[in-house]
Amino acid sequence: MARTTPHDHPPAEEEPLYRRIATRLIGELRDGRIPPGERLPGERRLAEHFGVSRETVRQALELLRRDGLVATDRRGSHATLPGLSVETPASLAFPVGATAATPGTVARATVTWEPPPPDHAEALGLAPGRPTLVHNYRYATTDGRGLRTAVTSFSAVALAEVEELGRYRDRADGTATAHLRRAYDWMRRAGLTLHHRDAITRLASTRSVRVTRQVHDQYARPLEITDLVVDAQQDALVYEFTLPGRAD
């Protein structure tokens, strides 16, 4: 007899509730809201998310474990659907233009709690002078060539809904290193669909270009804005977009 998995059958009222929850969870795994290898929320949070009991969630997770779609170890339960590991740099990296440090280069990233640049405040819907979390990124070769800098400001919505970002407020003194490489993953895990808009302009009388990225969620609420300045003669800008595949 062929082995079946939750996604072999469409949800139906006569199906057990735990199987329907397992099917819904598979959908969230497939559309990227929970990236492969990412730790799943705990049973209590999943129960609140789906509006069911923890026992129902526990049965759904056990079903997915048997089918090899979820694995559990000492760190908790993790998605195992095929795809890029969360350790793989995201196609939409944060901040825009960030790159891993290599020999002969210097990369520095810090966060502060301060009023953002005026154009950032306007884009994020913040009142003039109102402070927010601001991320500063600098990358350069040791001889000063290949310089790129990025300033990112986060909206009140992002800080309120993304727990990991909110934690930085009390330690945003501009001195400690703060590489927020997982920022976009954190936003997606919080249930936000990210819409990116990148605009590239040349800076007058220089050989540099500015890339401005604005990110909104599915409700058109601004989440963050980044201004990246790079040496156009030293760098090539490559953008890759990965869209979730359509489930059959």
Side-chain angles (χ1 to χ4, degrees), residues 51-197:
V52 297
S53 69
R54 291 180 65 175
E55 178 58 29
T56 297
V57 167
R58 193 172 297 119
Q59 291 177 316
L61 290 174
E62 179 58 30
L63 182 61
L64 297 181
R65 289 190 194 99
R66 292 202 307 265
D67 290 320
L69 302 177
V70 166
T72 300
D73 57 27
R74 63 184 180 181
R75 296 184 299 138
S77 296
H78 308 269
T80 58
L81 284 176
L84 294 176
S85 164
V86 294
E87 300 302 325
T88 302
S91 297
L92 300 176
F94 176 88
V96 53
T99 185
T102 56
T105 64
V106 177
R108 173 73 169 161
T110 59
V111 290
T112 56
W113 184 259
E114 63 183 7
D119 55 334
H120 283 205
E122 181 178 1
L124 298 175
L126 297 174
R130 178 179 175 180
T132 191
L133 189 70
V134 178
H135 181 272
N136 293 278
Y137 174 84
R138 186 179 189 276
Y139 175 91
T141 56
T142 52
D143 59 8
R145 294 183 301 163
L147 177 66
R148 61 177 69 179
T149 60
V151 177
T152 299
S153 304
F154 293 95
S155 71
V157 171
L159 297 179
E161 299 202 13
V162 183
E163 181 180 357
E164 293 86 350
L165 288 176
R167 293 175 185 158
Y168 278 89
R169 175 171 180 171
D170 295 332
R171 47 195 172 110
D173 58 4
T175 59
T177 299
H179 289 284
L180 307 185
R181 297 187 183 95
R182 299 285 302 284
Y184 291 149
D185 282 339
W186 295 338
M187 291 180 185
R188 294 169 64 198
R189 190 167 61 187
L192 303 175
T193 299
L194 308 185
H195 299 276
H196 297 249
R197 181 180 186 274

